[in-house]
């Protein structure tokens, strides 16, 4: 199924209506092992709901590393949904299928689920789905703000900018469009620390990162004839190594690169570029 590049008017109107229900209580969540697009988009939506005075929690069952601490609202993420929180709606962001949400089986199945994503393989599992072919969920949430006249703020702008530059490789990947660049320019009008955001995401590396680079290079297979490179990282620590692909992709002789991380026995995660 071909995805639209922007949400249609009916979908936008329905989303605006759902997010204006005064007696609603929301759970916002994302895929397991989340990245900056997922977390940045979730926190941006949290700030939007703050403006609308809609009750909500941002629930992510994973342990989130300190690298996300610069995102405004990072401290509102909870690992457990409060037992006395009787929520009426669920919103998933950047998640292709409900089973990609860690501990998804604990979620209620008797409330509407709003699925917002940009991946072509999304299974449209929600009771309401907005799935668009766009650079990132961050850009999609920014599109909501523009088309529905939801006020942007500096906190929203920082989160959306982090989401967008992560999924576009700082506007280098071929998913970057003129609309993506316009969105980035619009967010920068809020005097966000764009250079510091970029440093935090792409350049502030831990000792563990370089240890994983060493392992990946020791387990690198380069095929110049076929133009691909594959690196493997056995026993990869949880929530680490997702950015090793950006190091491996610098190999000029490879048009396609991949990193295979062993996250647990019989469980791997593959990143491709």
């Amino acid at each position: 199924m071909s995805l639209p590049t922007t949400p249609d008017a009916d979908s936008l109107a329905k989303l605006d209506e759902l997010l204006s229900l005064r007696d609603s209580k929301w759970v916002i969540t994302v895929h397991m092992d989340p990245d900056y697009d997922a977390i940045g988009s979730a926190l941006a939506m949290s700030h939007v709901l703050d403006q609308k005075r809609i009750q909500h929690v941002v629930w992510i069952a994973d342990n989130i590393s300190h690298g996300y601490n610069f995102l405004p609202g990072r401290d509102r993420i909870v690992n457990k949904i409060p037992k006395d929180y009787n929520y009426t709606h669920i919103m998933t962001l950047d998640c292709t299928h409900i089973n990609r949400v860690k501990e998804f089986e604990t979620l209620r199945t008797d409330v509407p689920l709003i699925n917002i994503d940009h991946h072509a393989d999304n299974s449209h599992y929600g009771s309401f789905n907005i799935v668009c072919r766009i650079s990132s969920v961050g850009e999609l949430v920014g599109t909501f703000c523009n088309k529905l006249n939801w006020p942007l703020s500096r906190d929203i702008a920082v989160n959306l900018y982090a989401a967008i530059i992560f999924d576009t490789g700082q506007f280098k990947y071929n998913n970057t469009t003129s609309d993506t660049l316009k969105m980035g320019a619009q967010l920068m009008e809020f005097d966000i620390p764009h250079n510091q955001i970029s440093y935090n995401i792409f350049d502030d590396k831990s000792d563990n990162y370089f240890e994983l680079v060493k392992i990946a290079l020791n387990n690198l297979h380069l095929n110049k004839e076929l133009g691909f490179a594959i690196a493997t990282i056995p026993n990869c620590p949880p929530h680490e190594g997702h950015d090793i692909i950006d190091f491996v992709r610098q190999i000029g002789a490879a048009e396609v690169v991949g990193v295979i991380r062993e996250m647990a026995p019989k469980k791997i995660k593959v990143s491709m570029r």
Side-chain angles (χ1 to χ4, degrees), residues 42-132:
L43 293 178
M45 283 302 309
S46 175
H47 288 291
V48 168
L49 290 182
D50 273 352
Q51 292 177 346
K52 291 175 169 291
R53 299 182 180 179
I54 300 296
Q55 294 187 61
H56 65 281
V57 298
V58 181
W59 170 62
I60 301 176
D62 293 86
N63 292 319
I64 307 302
S65 76
H66 72 278
Y68 295 88
N69 287 351
F70 73 94
L71 295 176
R74 162 65 182 87
D75 57 344
R76 63 183 61 183
I77 296 174
V78 299
N79 291 110
K80 297 289 183 182
I81 301 173
K83 291 183 179 180
D84 59 348
Y85 184 63
N86 189 27
Y87 55 93
T88 62
H89 293 76
I90 301 167
M91 178 187 295
T92 61
L93 296 160
D94 201 34
C95 189
T96 55
H97 195 278
I98 189 59
N99 63 11
R100 291 277 295 127
V101 174
K102 188 172 183 178
E103 299 183 11
F104 74 94
E105 63 278 0
T106 65
L107 288 168
R108 293 175 59 182
T109 57
D110 60 339
V111 300
L113 189 154
I114 317 307
N115 164 32
I116 298 172
D117 191 22
H118 71 127
H119 294 101
D121 58 342
N122 187 282
S123 60
H124 288 73
Y125 54 88
S127 48
F128 174 46
N129 305 280
I130 299 182
V131 183
C132 295

Side-chain angles (χ1 to χ4, degrees), residues 221-230 252-257:
H221 175 72
L222 173 63
N223 188 313
K224 292 185 178 180
E225 287 188 10
L226 297 180
F228 73 85
I230 299 290
E255 295 182 12
V256 177
V257 299

Side-chain angles (χ1 to χ4, degrees), residues 123-196:
S123 60
H124 288 73
Y125 54 88
S127 48
F128 174 46
N129 305 280
I130 299 182
V131 183
C132 295
R133 182 165 54 85
I134 197 167
S135 72
S136 54
V137 177
E139 185 180 351
L140 186 53
V141 172
T143 301
F144 296 158
C145 293
N146 286 339
K147 291 184 177 292
L148 293 172
N149 295 315
W150 295 348
L152 287 169
S153 67
R154 189 174 188 273
D155 286 348
I156 293 173
V158 169
N159 279 299
L160 293 184
Y161 190 84
I164 292 169
I165 67 167
F166 179 82
D167 259 23
T168 63
Q170 302 185 90
F171 307 110
K172 290 185 296 187
Y173 301 159
N174 60 10
N175 59 352
T176 302
T177 67
S178 59
D179 287 334
T180 312
L181 295 173
K182 290 174 185 175
M183 181 70 68
Q186 179 185 0
L187 298 174
M188 286 181 63
E189 291 178 2
F190 288 84
D191 193 29
I192 62 175
H194 61 91
N195 54 339
Q196 188 63 45

